Amino acid sequence: MNRLHPLSAVTLALRRALAGLFVALTVVTGLAAFVDFVSGAWMTVAVPLGFLLGGTYGIVYYFRFEYEITDTTFDVSSGVFSRRSREIPYRRIQNVDVRVGILQRLLGLAVVSIETAGGGNTEAVLNFVSEEEANRLQREIRRRTAKATETQEKSSADDLEDVPAADSESARDRNEAGDPIEHPDETVDGRGGEPSVDHESPSTAAQRRDHAKREKSLFGLEARELLLYSFTSFRPAVGAALLFFVFIAIDPVINHLLTVAQPVGGPEDLETGTAGNYGILTAVSFVYAVAVTYLVSVAYTFATYYGFKLSRAGQDFVYERGLVQRYSGSIPAEKIQSVTVTDNPLQRLIDYAGMWIETAGYGPESSSGSQSAVPLARKSRVYEFTERLTGAETPKFLSPPELARRRYLARYSIIAGVIVAIAFGVSLATTLEQWYLAAIVFLAVPPAAHLRYVNIQYFVGEDHLVVRRGFWRRRTTVIPYYRIQTVSTRRSVFQRRLGLASVVVDTASSSSFSMTAPTIYDLELEDARDVNITSRKQLQRTLRERAQDDDLGLTVDFT
Amino acid sequence: MESLNSRIRLLWIAQGAIVAAILGAVLVGVDRIVVDVPMGVIAAVIAVAAILGIAYAVRLYQVWQFELQDDALYLERGVVTFVETAVPFVRVQHVDTQFGPIERALGLSSVVVYTAGSRNADVRVPGLTPDRARSLQDTLRELAVESDTDDAV
């Protein structure tokens, strides 16, 4: 059994001690206000006591927190009063992430998170271990996962009459990496915590270590790409964070906005000012807010993706990134559910795009299983990578019928109508009179409908379904048929009148950027049914094929 | 295609009635605290909500159908948005039978099929007699085991 880094005892104790102090403070204050015989003087005793108890709890917690790498599972047991021991089978691990914050980097520490597909939370968080230990864990888990997979594949292959010749891409890969496939005694069960290396000949063990260590670089984000990525991506979440900041520091912010707006005709202060003054202040504030949000978002993206590097180790992808806070993680290739190419209008303008891989786990910051594999690169390269990684052919995209565009025209007209109605409502309640000016939004309706329409495309391939949607953040998702979970055809009242239908293809990826599963919108009903039936048939076919052949379905060396 | 048990209409009508009652209660609250709402208006709103609820329940019952196909559990449902879903047996993680208090009173139960999918990861077949629910659960379990592959998440 291993413990966390001794320094985490210090932080744990401090954190709990502060929590204890706070609880004591609140309880005494609360009681003093309502119960007569409790007085504020109790503080002098209660507060140090809370601090001490909390600190002790933290230290005990440190000593009661243990983790271990066994042959088949990763075990964590924790808890002071109620104990919890958790065993995570290697085969179920989706990704292993290592996070190093700025202070932790100075102290040589790291936080390790282990994710599985179950539950919304990270299954095991080691907060924190030394950096070498983090790397060792990541490597060991990766190695054991690969072995567990291999053993299982072997045992299932033995059941079959015709064991396929080892000429598939992945099998060749393993052979050339020197991993022994013949190890009849290496079953997953039994042999508790014994290090399995003992049973191997020294040379294979060495080869295996070599194999685990050998990382092949696949993609590095160059300075130019990093800058382009920073300046062309927009993070609405930053806006929300800034709004929160404005909320807690409202007065200085307003004063600052007043000083900024004054030279261009803003009011002296909030009390004196004409309608025109206020209009200018509002406009200036808006532009200012957008500019600040954009700049913060640029800085954030830059710091997060600084030094991005993707490589492969065996059948796993390993990535590294971050300027202040370093992230590194590994994703087993066999856990990949789908691959998505994203681009926004700006990126399309300069012919760049990004590639994301999606698993059923949860990423370190995005709370979804999407991991950026290639943050930004030339479009042609990204498409080439995607095709090579998934083995999909170049899609010949199909579009929904023209009728769909009419639907969007109608839909956006309704939205525009609602905006005008709101403007009218506002004009009734205030002195604003030119509510009809809001009708200008109707001008945006035809282009909006058109842009939505042209960005909806799909392709039914040999082994993959490709779904493209969205204008602001266009996503082109490549779904291997064997990853499909359920297929639905949806028809709203409006769609039924036009004879249209949407096809929803659900996979196990925990989030596909937006809140919806990949959807092909507004096909003709017959086409939708075709896509639906084809997907189901292909799912069965590809599953059968995969059962016979241990082909991964992905090419790990995609660059 | 198999339809649901007709008693499910009563459950849905009851749900509609609850919504109508809540709506009525809110309106009465508004009447007491904010502005006067004529009694007639409240009655009319409740009546309209109740009628809509009944119509919805009846229509939903007419629409709801399911079938065990060769490779998948296939369902059709939805009044406003009509949805046809196929849940391949290979993808079934586990199957539950459930019933709430009203369902129990009506002698009904539901089968819930879980997949590893992201959204709508659970598919519910309501309005089955307890016997049918159990047999459907057993069938689905057998089919899921039969078609099991080495392709878990």
Side-chain angles (χ1 to χ4, degrees), chain A residues 279-405:
Chain A
I280 288 169
L281 177 66
T282 313
V284 166
S285 309
F286 182 73
V287 172
Y288 196 79
V290 170
V292 170
T293 310
Y294 176 64
L295 287 178
V296 173
S297 144
V298 168
Y300 179 82
T301 311
F302 184 86
T304 322
Y305 284 95
Y306 178 85
F308 180 92
K309 227 172 63 193
L310 182 82
S311 30
R312 85 165 177 90
Q315 296 287 313
D316 292 1
F317 291 112
V318 183
Y319 65 88
E320 250 181 68
R321 59 185 170 81
L323 178 66
V324 184
Q325 174 137 290
R326 286 297 289 179
Y327 287 99
S328 72
S330 65
I331 304 163
E334 59 146 3
K335 297 293 184 197
I336 293 173
Q337 299 287 328
S338 55
V339 179
T340 298
V341 174
T342 60
D343 45 27
N344 63 29
L346 261 183
Q347 291 165 348
R348 285 202 288 277
L349 206 64
I350 54 171
D351 260 350
Y352 273 73
M355 185 178 96
W356 297 69
I357 46 189
E358 286 155 36
T359 66
Y362 290 79
E365 49 161 0
S366 48
S367 79
S368 78
S370 331
Q371 265 310 328
S372 186
V374 175
L376 195 74
R378 280 204 178 280
K379 196 176 84 187
S380 52
R381 270 180 86 197
V382 168
Y383 281 112
E384 201 182 306
F385 291 167
T386 312
E387 280 167 27
R388 219 176 292 162
L389 171 63
T390 57
E393 62 267 51
T394 309
K396 290 182 221 38
F397 282 114
L398 299 173
S399 288
E402 291 277 323
L403 213 55
R405 185 162 28 194

Side-chain angles (χ1 to χ4, degrees), chain A residues 91-92 94 152 360 482 484-493 496 506-509 515 529 536 539-540 546, chain B residues 69 71-72 74 79-88 90-91 115-119 149-153:
Chain A
R91 271 181 64 79
R92 289 287 173 262
Q94 298 279 337
Q152 164 119 14
Y482 62 85
I484 291 175
Q485 293 284 337
T486 62
V487 196
S488 304
T489 309
R490 301 175 63 92
R491 283 183 290 157
S492 71
V493 206
R496 261 175 282 169
D506 198 13
T507 66
S509 54
M515 292 310 284
R529 290 236 163 92
R536 281 172 60 185
L539 166 67
Q540 301 297 336
R546 276 168 64 83
Chain B
Q69 296 183 344
D71 58 332
Y74 177 79
V79 172
V80 179
T81 301
F82 183 71
V83 186
E84 302 157 30
T85 305
V87 187
V90 210
R91 292 311 189 206
T115 69
S118 46
R119 251 137 309 266
T149 60
D150 181 31
D151 192 52
V153 183

Side-chain angles (χ1 to χ4, degrees), chain A residues 209-221:
Chain A
R209 267 200 301 280
D210 185 48
H211 168 65
K213 240 187 270 172
R214 205 184 63 186
E215 284 184 10
K216 190 176 171 223
S217 174
L218 293 175
F219 179 82
L221 193 65

Side-chain angles (χ1 to χ4, degrees), chain A residues 53 97 101 109 143 178 181 225 241 272 296 320 326 342 373 384 419 443 458 475 493:
Chain A
L53 280 178
D97 295 306
L109 301 172
R143 193 173 70 82
I181 292 181
E225 289 162 338
T272 63
V296 173
E320 250 181 68
R326 286 297 289 179
T342 60
E384 201 182 306
I419 291 175
L443 283 182
Y458 69 101
R475 305 174 300 277
V493 206

